[in-house]
Amino acid sequence: MVYRMTKHNAIKQKFYMIPDRITDIFVFILAVVLPFFFTLVIIIIANVIVIIANSLDITIDNFLILGFDNSLLFLLLYAALLSISPITYQLNHRVYRTWYPAKYVFRRVTEEFPRIVREMSDLDDLLQYVTHTISDNLETESTSVWLYNKQKNMLILSKYHGIDTSDENSQLTILPVDLELEILSGTQFVDTLPNSNLRYALSTLKIQSITSLNLGGELIGLIGLGHNPLKKQHSHEVLDLLNMLAGQSALAVKNAVLISRLEETLTKLDLAYQRTIDAQENERQNLGTILHDDILGRLMSMTLTLRNCRTHLDSDPEQVKIWLELTENGINEIYRDLRTIMGGLYPSVLIDLGLVFALEEYLDTLAKQPQPLSAPVQITLTTQGFGYDRIEEERLERDIYYIIRQALDNAIKHAFADEIFIHLHWRDDLVSVTVRDTGKGMQDDPEVLAGKHGRVGLLSLQERTRAWKGHIDFYTAHDKGTTVRASIPMEQPSTDPSQLTVTTRHLRKGK
C-alpha cells in the first residue's frame, strides 16, 4: 500500500493532529495556571508571616490578598511567568518527544526548515541533517538517503546511518532503477514493491519502508527506513508524517543538488581551462621543436648544399647534379612533412569533400605509415545515414571529425587492442559516434586523465561535445577495452538514413 498526501490522507492528518491540540491545550493550561499558583503561594506565605508577626506583637504592616499592592502583585506574577517559561518549554519538548516521536520529528524539521534552506546550501550538510534527525528521533535501526541520477537511471547512496556497507554489500550503494518512477512515488513498504532488482537490493540492506523525494513530479531521491527495534512495521502515522517530511525536504535537497552540481561544474571548468592552456602550450612547444630542429635543420643543410653547387658548378658538374637531385628529394620530403603537419591541424579534404571522406583519408594515412606497438591490427569504419549529403554546419562537421579522430588516436596510443571499431550514425535529430576498442581499458577515471601530463585528447573530446549541447560517455573495464559514445543534437535530418558504408584498414606496426 502506498501512502500519498491525498485528500483522504489530509483529512486523516487532521484526526492525527487532535492529540497534538490536546497536548498544546494541556501545556498552555500549565503555563497559565502554574504562574498564578506560585504567585498565590507567595502571597499566602506573606500573609502567614504577617499574622504570626502580629501575634508576637511585631509591628508589620498588615496586607491581605485583596489588599495586596497591585504593583507588587504584578512584579511577583511577572517573575513567576519568567521563571516558569523554560520549564513549560522543556515540558512541551518532552511530551512531544515521548508521546509522539514521529510528530516531534516533523514539527522540529518544519520549524527549522527556513534555517535549513537559508544556511544549509551544502548538500552534504543537508543530507547529514536529515539523516541524523530521523535516526535520532524515530525508532529505526537504519536511515538512508538516496539521490536519483536521471541520466543513468540509478539511485546512489548519499548518506546513511546503520546501513551495512561491508564488502559483501559494497555493490549495493548504487542501485539501478528497474521500476516505473510512478511506482516509487509516495511512502510505502519495500515488500509491497513489484518483484525487481531494486526491491531485492533494498530488502538485502534491511530497509523496511521508503519515502520518495519528489518536486513537481520529478524524482529527486528516496529516504529509506530500516526496521524498528521490535521488528514491526512502522505505523501509518509514521509513514504519513515521513511523507510530509519528504515533501518539506525535497525543495531544499533539490536546491542543494543544483548548487553542488554548479560548484562541481565550475571546478571542472577551471580545471579544464588550466589543462587546456597547459596542453596548448605543450602543443606549441612540440610544433616549435619540429619546425626548428627538423624542418629548419634540413633547410639549412639544403642551403649549404646549394652553396656547394654554386662553388663546383664549373669544376665538377656531375657532382653538382647529384647534389641537386638530393636537394630536390629533400624538398619533396619537407613538403610531405609540412602537408602532414597541416593536415593534422585542419585537413583540406574535410573542407572539400566532407566528414566521411576525411575519415577515410585519415585511415589511409595510418595504413601507409608504421604504427606503434600499441596500435591495433585492424580498424573498421561504419557510417550510416550520410550518403552523398554533408552536414551544413561546417564547425559541427569539423568537431565531429576531431571527436572521432582523437578517440581513435587515444586507442591507437594506449589501448594495445587487436581491433578498433568506429560507428558514425546520422539520424533525424542527432549524430551519434561510437569508438570501441578491444584493448586493456583505462587505468583511471576519464575525468582524472583528461589533460593530465599534457594529454589534451580526452579533454578535447568532452569540450567539443558539450559545446554542441551533446552528451559523451566512457565505458571501460580492465582487459575489456574502452568504448566512447558521443551524441550531438542537430536540426538537419539525414536524407538517406538507411545508407550504410563499411571501410576496413589494416595497420602495420613498426619495430
Side-chain angles (χ1 to χ4, degrees):
M1 182 176 181
V2 180
Y3 299 93
R4 299 183 177 90
M5 289 308 297
T6 60
K7 181 178 180 181
H8 171 72
N9 280 340
I11 295 174
K12 186 167 61 174
Q13 283 294 331
K14 294 181 179 179
F15 288 99
Y16 283 159
M17 287 310 202
I18 289 177
D20 290 354
R21 296 193 179 101
I22 295 175
T23 303
D24 290 336
I25 294 172
F26 172 72
V27 173
F28 175 76
I29 291 174
L30 290 180
V32 174
V33 172
L34 286 180
F36 279 101
F37 174 75
F38 289 154
T39 305
L40 184 60
V41 169
I42 294 173
I43 294 175
I44 291 174
I45 293 174
N47 278 275
V48 170
I49 293 174
V50 171
I51 294 172
I52 294 174
N54 289 336
S55 65
L56 297 176
D57 295 329
I58 300 174
T59 303
I60 298 179
D61 292 337
N62 184 29
F63 58 94
L64 300 175
I65 296 177
L66 296 177
F68 194 76
D69 183 73
N70 289 332
S71 62
L72 184 56
L73 177 62
F74 175 78
L75 291 175
L76 289 174
L77 180 59
Y78 183 68
L81 288 173
L82 288 179
S83 64
I84 200 62
S85 57
I87 301 175
T88 305
Y89 174 79
Q90 291 296 329
L91 180 61
N92 188 11
H93 179 82
R94 288 184 175 274
V95 166
Y96 259 89
R97 184 164 184 169
T98 304
W99 292 359
Y100 312 108
K103 293 182 177 63
Y104 169 78
V105 174
F106 174 74
R107 191 173 193 181
R108 177 182 174 186
V109 172
T110 52
E111 287 175 353
E112 297 181 356
F113 187 75
R115 182 180 64 83
I116 297 174
V117 177
R118 184 171 60 253
E119 298 180 3
M120 290 192 176
S121 59
D122 182 78
L123 179 62
D124 187 72
D125 292 341
L126 178 60
L127 297 182
Q128 187 84 359
Y129 168 80
V130 174
T131 303
H132 280 280
T133 299
I134 298 175
S135 300
D136 294 344
N137 298 280
L138 285 183
E139 293 184 353
T140 176
E141 293 180 348
S142 65
T143 305
S144 55
V145 179
W146 305 74
L147 294 182
Y148 177 64
N149 188 311
K150 184 177 180 180
Q151 293 180 343
K152 298 182 179 180
N153 193 31
M154 59 179 54
L155 289 167
I156 302 173
L157 181 61
S158 299
K159 284 295 175 183
Y160 61 91
H161 175 76
I163 292 287
D164 180 15
T165 56
S166 57
D167 292 340
E168 58 183 17
N169 290 334
S170 61
Q171 301 298 324
L172 299 180
T173 56
I174 299 178
L175 306 180
V177 179
D178 53 350
L179 294 174
E180 295 294 333
L181 297 183
E182 291 77 9
I183 297 177
L184 299 177
S185 62
T187 303
Q188 55 195 305
F189 297 112
V190 172
D191 56 12
T192 63
L193 293 174
N195 288 330
S196 58
N197 292 328
L198 180 61
R199 172 181 171 177
Y200 173 78
L202 293 173
S203 300
T204 302
L205 293 172
K206 299 180 181 179
I207 296 176
Q208 185 191 68
S209 58
I210 57 173
T211 302
S212 62
L213 295 171
N214 277 291
L215 185 64
E218 178 187 0
L219 180 63
I220 308 300
L222 294 178
I223 298 177
L225 289 184
H227 295 274
N228 58 34
L230 298 179
K231 303 299 181 182
K232 295 181 180 180
Q233 287 187 336
H234 297 291
S235 66
H236 295 176
E237 180 183 1
V238 170
L239 296 181
D240 280 333
L241 289 170
L242 193 60
N243 196 26
M244 294 177 65
L245 171 63
Q248 293 287 333
S249 304
L251 177 60
V253 173
K254 176 65 174 179
N255 289 338
V257 169
L258 292 177
I259 292 174
S260 176
R261 290 177 180 174
L262 178 60
E263 292 175 347
E264 182 181 356
T265 301
L266 291 176
T267 301
K268 289 181 179 179
L269 287 176
D270 290 340
L271 180 61
Y273 177 72
Q274 185 59 47
R275 288 180 173 176
T276 301
I277 293 176
D278 294 340
Q280 289 176 346
E281 185 62 29
N282 289 333
E283 289 294 324
R284 292 191 186 98
Q285 291 178 359
N286 292 336
L287 182 59
T289 300
I290 293 174
L291 293 176
H292 181 272
D293 296 347
D294 184 20
I295 304 298
L296 291 181
R298 282 188 283 172
L299 288 175
M300 181 60 68
S301 177
M302 292 177 190
T303 301
L304 296 176
T305 301
L306 291 176
R307 288 178 181 175
N308 288 332
C309 291
R310 184 175 59 183
T311 303
H312 297 84
L313 182 60
D314 297 330
S315 61
D316 195 353
E318 292 298 327
Q319 183 63 45
V320 169
K321 182 178 179 180
I322 295 174
W323 286 340
L324 289 175
E325 289 177 355
L326 292 175
T327 302
E328 181 182 6
N329 293 334
I331 291 174
N332 290 331
E333 290 178 1
I334 291 176
Y335 172 76
R336 286 193 297 269
D337 291 343
L338 289 175
R339 185 181 179 88
T340 301
I341 293 173
M342 294 302 297
L345 296 176
Y346 203 104
S348 58
V349 68
L350 179 61
I351 302 174
D352 299 334
L353 300 178
L355 177 60
V356 175
F357 286 97
L359 291 173
E360 291 177 348
E361 185 193 53
Y362 185 60
L363 294 183
D364 290 337
T365 302
L366 293 176
K368 294 176 182 178
Q369 299 174 353
Q371 299 298 320
L373 297 178
S374 57
V377 176
Q378 178 176 299
I379 299 176
T380 301
L381 169 65
T382 304
T383 63
Q384 183 175 351
F386 280 82
Y388 295 101
D389 292 336
R390 292 185 56 178
I391 298 175
E392 296 176 355
E393 176 59 63
E394 294 182 359
R395 293 184 299 118
L396 176 58
E397 188 176 53
R398 176 201 64 194
D399 284 345
I400 294 175
Y401 171 81
Y402 280 111
I403 288 172
I404 296 174
R405 177 165 167 174
Q406 286 160 358
L408 176 60
D409 290 344
N410 287 338
I412 291 175
K413 294 178 182 178
H414 307 295
F416 288 89
D418 293 329
E419 294 182 84
I420 297 177
F421 302 92
I422 306 170
H423 182 63
L424 180 62
H425 192 182
W426 185 359
R427 306 178 188 179
D428 290 338
D429 57 350
L430 62 84
V431 172
S432 62
V433 172
T434 302
V435 179
R436 179 175 66 88
D437 66 68
T438 60
K440 63 180 183 179
M442 294 185 182
Q443 298 179 353
D444 207 337
D445 186 84
E447 293 184 353
V448 176
L449 294 175
K452 196 173 184 180
H453 303 304
R455 296 174 184 172
V456 74
L458 291 176
L459 182 61
S460 180
L461 282 173
Q462 296 170 340
E463 297 306 315
R464 289 182 187 274
T465 304
R466 292 168 182 168
W468 296 97
K469 298 181 180 180
H471 183 72
I472 187 168
D473 285 311
F474 298 87
Y475 304 91
T476 184
H478 181 65
D479 289 337
K480 293 185 179 180
T482 299
T483 300
V484 179
R485 289 198 180 105
S487 58
I488 298 176
M490 59 182 300
E491 297 180 357
Q492 178 189 355
S494 171
T495 59
D496 191 5
S498 61
Q499 190 274 343
L500 182 68
T501 61
V502 180
T503 302
T504 301
R505 296 292 184 272
H506 296 274
L507 305 186
R508 59 186 179 90
K509 300 182 182 182
K511 295 182 179 180

